[in-house]
Amino acid sequence: QLQLVQSGGGLVQPGGSLRLSCAASADGFTLDYYTVGWFRQAPGKEREEVSCISSSGGSTTYADSVKGRFTISRDNTKNTVTLQMNSLKPEDTAVYYCVAGSALSREQHDYDYWGQGTQVTVSS
């Protein structure tokens, strides 16, 4: 079964940058055939889509709140998906989850596989 391992995240000042990465943990499993994305959940708020990328990398989605600041990319030769987050704001503070599914979707219930979650805190 596909397992997702996240890395990156942490504490950054407003205006700073962070990078999140998502990789398949088990040998023999590859992200190549999966749409991969990121959702986040802030304290007291519902989980929301951040960004997703199709298996080929040819299609992407972004939440309006992160457009122009976040960039999702994938390197299928390295079996990883990266979320580059720039110009971070305090409202970006949340636990970020990597997800994988069979089709590009903005709905969390369409994703079968979830990473362990990574805390991102934007604060001065």
Side-chain angles (χ1 to χ4, degrees):
Q1 181 173 340
L2 179 66
Q3 292 183 332
L4 303 176
V5 177
Q6 302 176 212
S7 60
L11 172 65
V12 66
Q13 292 186 343
S17 298
L18 284 174
R19 180 179 296 176
L20 302 180
S21 292
C22 180
S25 68
D27 289 343
F29 284 91
T30 175
L31 292 177
D32 291 9
Y33 305 113
Y34 294 91
T35 286
V36 179
W38 296 88
F39 284 74
R40 68 186 181 186
Q41 187 165 21
K45 295 187 177 181
E46 293 186 354
R47 193 175 295 167
E48 62 177 2
E49 178 226 14
V50 177
S51 182
C52 299
I53 187 167
S54 63
S55 57
S56 69
S59 297
T60 57
T61 66
Y62 292 95
D64 288 344
S65 59
V66 307
K67 281 180 181 177
R69 301 188 298 121
F70 290 13
T71 302
I72 192 170
S73 62
R74 67 189 303 156
D75 186 343
N76 286 344
T77 65
K78 296 181 179 179
N79 209 19
T80 59
V81 173
T82 298
L83 183 69
Q84 178 66 41
M85 305 184 293
N86 298 328
S87 302
L88 282 160
K89 304 175 181 181
E91 50 264 43
D92 295 316
T93 296
V95 176
Y96 284 69
Y97 297 91
C98 176
V99 299
S102 58
L104 191 66
S105 171
R106 311 190 73 160
E107 302 296 330
Q108 55 184 304
H109 60 76
D110 288 329
Y111 291 92
D112 299 317
Y113 304 99
W114 289 71
Q116 77 274 23
T118 300
Q119 179 68 46
V120 170
T121 302
V122 185
S123 175
S124 54

